[in-house]
């Protein structure tokens, strides 16, 4: 701001010129005028002013670095605390309703820390083995809460022995901490105590309901949370005579019926079309370009892409061999992974990040042997990975203190995370996209609360164990997504408060 040139009234003191602050200066790599043009273009296209400002601010933050980040880079920092777990905190009661009583709580949570879903080429199981819970710990978790129906088909079942995307001991501890915080709030705090004090009473009264997506890490996260809420129980040995009903049930739905997946099975074609259009926006490209301008991150992307291309070409060759064998009536082909290929080969993999976990699991794609055709996804090489796909394993390693690829620092992890955030801010702030991704989950939450208000349910705590994409989808449809990627073990709490003894419920969302 320029100083005023008007004469200073007599008797007033001259304002001292402030010294410049020694705080780090933010240096932007993208021309501010270009961002301003994007905002004006979006406003002219009908975008709300708030959404235009949010997207522009996200793009600006993604393409900026600070002097402090540079110092961290020079120091070789290998951790990024902003991606770590967050503690569970409660909000004060609604001030406008001093006599209201908390009656029903719905808790949507992201699972705890995990291994990489799409590991880097340099990652191995041995690097993660000491961080995975052993069989005894897994059995102990099942003693408190067990999936229903028993032994459900999990989307990551094939990865169970491989270690990809599995809950770590650190993740177990994080979810137990969340459970302990819930106990202090809903069981032990005076004037609240809406939950029974023991697990047996909770089972008998149906006070606690648990839902989980069909992945092992979300099921185990829910189990660990119940351990924190009601204590760790010893595993029940076979033939002990203890009824399986002594454990809470975890509802695990078929993935096509799962409201916590933004687009289960990629079944919504309009959503796919809309996401592709939004991902092609200029702000998304500028944010990713800023991340790839770091030579260390670009080198990691190139190695991941080379690995993906090599894998796709091996699959293509194996599928061609299968087609030739079928046409010639020869014996089945055994792949390099030891699998026997048949008419409906299922050699389908994905390199997407966790934010699309509901989208990456697709139905087996037949090789169309009768038509002599390859599956469409095998006809071409994969595209270079997005910032999300590269950031996901880097963040997982940083959260566990594992060594990052050569030259990659904590500042690099923060930069590429921000680029991933811009992509999902751009998606979440689109009204149609938000309704398609989070509308089904919001409706389920509303119907569940309405059933409680109508005295049709005895449940007092309803837990939804999901993913970062689940939280983003819900906050987006509520118009509450602020642009920060949900850390592991983060939660969204919806509370139903009752006014008076039998008055109508009063809603208070946190």
């Amino acid at each position: 701001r320029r100083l005023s040139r008007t004469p200073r009234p007599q008797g007033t003191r001259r304002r001292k010129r402030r010294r410049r602050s020694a705080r780090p200066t933010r240096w932007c790599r993208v021309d501010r005028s270009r961002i301003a043009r994007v905002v004006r273009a979006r406003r002219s296209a009908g975008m709300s002013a708030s959404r235009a400002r949010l997207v522009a601010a996200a793009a600006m933050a993604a393409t900026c670095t600070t002097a402090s980040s540079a110092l961290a880079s020079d120091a070789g920092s290998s951790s990024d605390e902003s991606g770590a777990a967050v503690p569970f905190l409660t909000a004060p009661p609604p001030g406008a309703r001093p006599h209201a009583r908390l009656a029903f709580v719905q808790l949507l949570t992201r699972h705890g820390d995990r291994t990489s879903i799409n590991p880097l080429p340099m990652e191995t199981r041995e690097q993660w083995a000491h961080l995975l819970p052993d069989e005894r710990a897994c059995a102990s978790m099942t003693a408190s809460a067990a999936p229903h129906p028993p032994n459900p088909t999990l989307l990551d079942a094939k990865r169970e022995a491989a270690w990809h995307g599995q809950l770590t001991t650190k993740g177990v501890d994080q979810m137990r901490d969340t459970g302990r915080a819930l106990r202090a709030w809903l069981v032990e705090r005076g004037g609240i105590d809406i939950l029974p004090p023991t697990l047996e009473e909770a089972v008998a009264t149906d006070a606690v309901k648990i839902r989980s997506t069909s992945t092992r890490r979300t099921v185990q996260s829910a189990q660990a949370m119940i351990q924190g809420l009601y204590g760790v129980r010893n595993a029940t040995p076979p033939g002990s005579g203890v009824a399986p009903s002594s454990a809470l049930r975890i509802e695990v739905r078929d993935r096509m019926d799962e409201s916590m997946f933004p687009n289960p099975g990629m079944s919504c074609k309009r959503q796919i079309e809309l996401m592709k259009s939004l991902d092609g926006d200029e702000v998304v490209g500028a944010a990713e370009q800023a991340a790839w301008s770091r030579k260390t991150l670009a080198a990691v992307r190139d190695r991941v892409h080379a690995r993906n291309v090599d894998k796709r070409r091996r699959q293509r060759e194996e599928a061609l061999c299968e087609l030739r064998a079928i046409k010639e009536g020869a014996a089945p082909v055994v792949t390099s992974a030891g699998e026997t290929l048949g008419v409906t080969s299922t050699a389908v993999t994905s390199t997407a990040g966790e934010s699309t976990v509901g989208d990456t699991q697709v139905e087996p794609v037949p090789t169309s042997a009768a038509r002599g055709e390859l599956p469409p996804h095998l006809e071409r090489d994969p595209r270079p990975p997005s910032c999300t796909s590269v950031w996901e394993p880097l963040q997982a390693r940083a959260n566990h203190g594992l060594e990052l690829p050569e030259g990659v620092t904590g500042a690099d992890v923060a930069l590429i995370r921000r680029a991933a955030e811009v992509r999902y801010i751009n998606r979440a702030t689109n009204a149609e996209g938000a309704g398609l991704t989070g509308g089904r989950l919001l409706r389920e939450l509303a119907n569940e609360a309405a059933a409680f208000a109508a005295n049709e349910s005895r449940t007092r705590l309803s837990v939804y164990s999901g993913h970062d994409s689940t939280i983003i989808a819900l906050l987006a449809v509520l118009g509450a997504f602020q642009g920060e990627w949900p850390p592991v073990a983060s939660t969204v709490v919806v509370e139903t408060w009752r006014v008076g003894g039998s008055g109508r419920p009063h809603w208070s969302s946190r």
Side-chain angles (χ1 to χ4, degrees), residues 28 30 35 54-64 283-284 286-287 418 422 425:
C28 183
V30 175
I35 295 297
L54 180 61
V55 173
M60 185 67 68
T63 54
C64 294
V283 288
V284 177
R418 194 59 191 162
V422 171
I425 290 171

Side-chain angles (χ1 to χ4, degrees), residues 10 13 26 48 50 148 155 218 250 334 387 390 473 499 507:
Q10 292 183 355
R13 301 175 61 184
R26 298 185 67 89
S48 66
S50 59
H148 183 79
L155 297 180
T218 51
I250 303 176
V334 179
C387 282
V390 176
V499 179
W507 282 93

Side-chain angles (χ1 to χ4, degrees), residues 104-125:
F104 179 50
V105 173
Q106 294 164 294
L107 180 74
L108 175 65
T109 179
R110 184 189 175 191
H111 56 76
D113 259 314
R114 51 154 177 79
T115 63
S116 305
I117 297 178
N118 302 289
L120 300 171
M122 43 77 69
E123 288 191 86
T124 64
R125 176 184 173 84

Side-chain angles (χ1 to χ4, degrees), residues 178-368:
T178 299
R180 295 187 189 102
L182 285 175
R183 182 174 183 84
W185 176 36
L186 301 177
V187 178
E188 300 172 350
R189 180 180 297 183
I192 300 291
D193 59 10
I194 69 172
L195 290 183
T198 65
L199 179 63
E200 289 72 19
E201 291 180 77
V203 173
T205 60
D206 295 329
V208 179
K209 173 186 174 184
I210 310 173
R211 280 245 292 108
S212 172
T213 61
S214 51
T215 63
R216 194 170 185 231
R217 60 182 173 275
T218 51
V219 171
Q220 289 184 335
S221 291
Q223 292 172 330
M225 183 187 298
I226 297 304
Q227 284 187 320
L229 179 60
Y230 285 117
V232 178
R233 307 177 74 188
N234 295 326
T236 303
S240 62
V242 178
S245 59
S246 60
L248 290 169
R249 287 186 172 186
I250 303 176
E251 179 187 355
V252 180
R253 297 178 181 175
D254 181 82
R255 67 181 180 85
M256 297 303 295
D257 299 325
E258 183 53 76
S259 61
M260 285 191 280
F261 285 154
N263 189 5
M266 301 296 285
S267 56
C268 180
K269 304 303 181 184
R270 171 55 185 161
Q271 188 175 346
I272 297 174
E273 176 185 340
L274 183 61
M275 295 303 105
K276 287 183 178 179
S277 175
L278 292 172
D279 290 349
D281 283 357
E282 182 180 356
V283 288
V284 177
E288 295 211 348
Q289 186 60 37
W292 301 139
S293 66
R294 292 279 183 92
K295 293 182 179 180
T296 51
L297 294 176
V300 175
R301 176 201 59 187
D302 294 342
R303 289 196 293 269
V304 172
H305 183 52
R307 187 269 313 274
N308 295 342
V309 169
D310 182 65
K311 188 173 184 179
R312 176 68 60 82
R313 290 177 179 176
R314 289 201 311 269
Q315 293 174 348
R316 182 187 305 149
E317 185 61 31
E318 291 167 353
L320 289 173
C321 291
E322 176 195 2
L323 288 174
R324 288 194 295 267
I326 292 175
K327 290 179 180 179
E328 299 171 0
V333 178
V334 179
T335 70
S336 58
E339 299 177 350
T340 301
L341 295 178
V343 176
T344 56
S345 172
T346 59
V348 181
T349 59
S350 171
T351 58
E354 181 188 354
S355 56
T356 54
V357 65
D359 310 342
T360 61
Q361 309 296 336
V362 296
E363 293 291 342
V365 181
T367 56
S368 305

